[in-house]
């Protein structure tokens, strides 16, 4: 820690790149007094918010898009400076979401599937 800034780096294999997980790993290693984490649009996720909530002395600002690709509550906020607590239920169960979406503030998240194959087909050729 120099000049009150924190610098860290996490190396990940190309097939397993996950910036959000790397950010959480870096925050777990940070043991200082109160700190503020600034995150850009790519870090908007319920998992990131919940992890930041669980770190003691962690305050955070996450820049988010409005509309369908962001938290739906962000779109309802006024276009001015504000400090609002937002609470909602998060589920990965499509059944629970469909049966409760009209009665409570709920978000359906899709489980992250492994989308990289460790082994290639025998027919795959590398042309480099």
């Amino acid at each position: 820690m120099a000049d009150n800034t924190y610098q860290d780096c996490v190396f990940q294999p190309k097939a397993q790149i996950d910036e959000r997980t790397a950010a959480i790993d870096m925050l777990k290693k940070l043991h200082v007094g109160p700190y503020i984490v600034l995150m850009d649009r790519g870090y908007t996720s319920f998992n990131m918010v919940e992890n930041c909530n669980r770190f003691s002395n962690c305050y955070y600002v996450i820049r988010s898009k409005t509309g369908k690709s962001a938290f739906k509550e962000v779109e309802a906020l006024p276009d001015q400076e504000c400090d609002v607590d937002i609470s909602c239920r998060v589920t990965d169960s499509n059944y629970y979401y469909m049966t409760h979406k009209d009665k409570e503030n709920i978000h359906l998240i899709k489980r992250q599937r492994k989308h990289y194959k460790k082994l290639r087909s025998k027919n795959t050729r590398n042309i480099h």
Side-chain angles (χ1 to χ4, degrees), residues 25-37:
D25 289 343
M26 286 187 270
L27 289 172
K28 286 179 183 176
K29 293 188 284 183
L30 185 59
H31 299 288
V32 295
Y35 57 93
I36 301 173
V37 180

Side-chain angles (χ1 to χ4, degrees), residues 27 30-35 51-59:
L27 289 172
L30 185 59
H31 299 288
V32 295
Y35 57 93
N51 273 283
C52 287
N53 285 341
R54 291 178 184 208
F55 294 125
S56 62
N57 297 321
C58 179
Y59 299 90

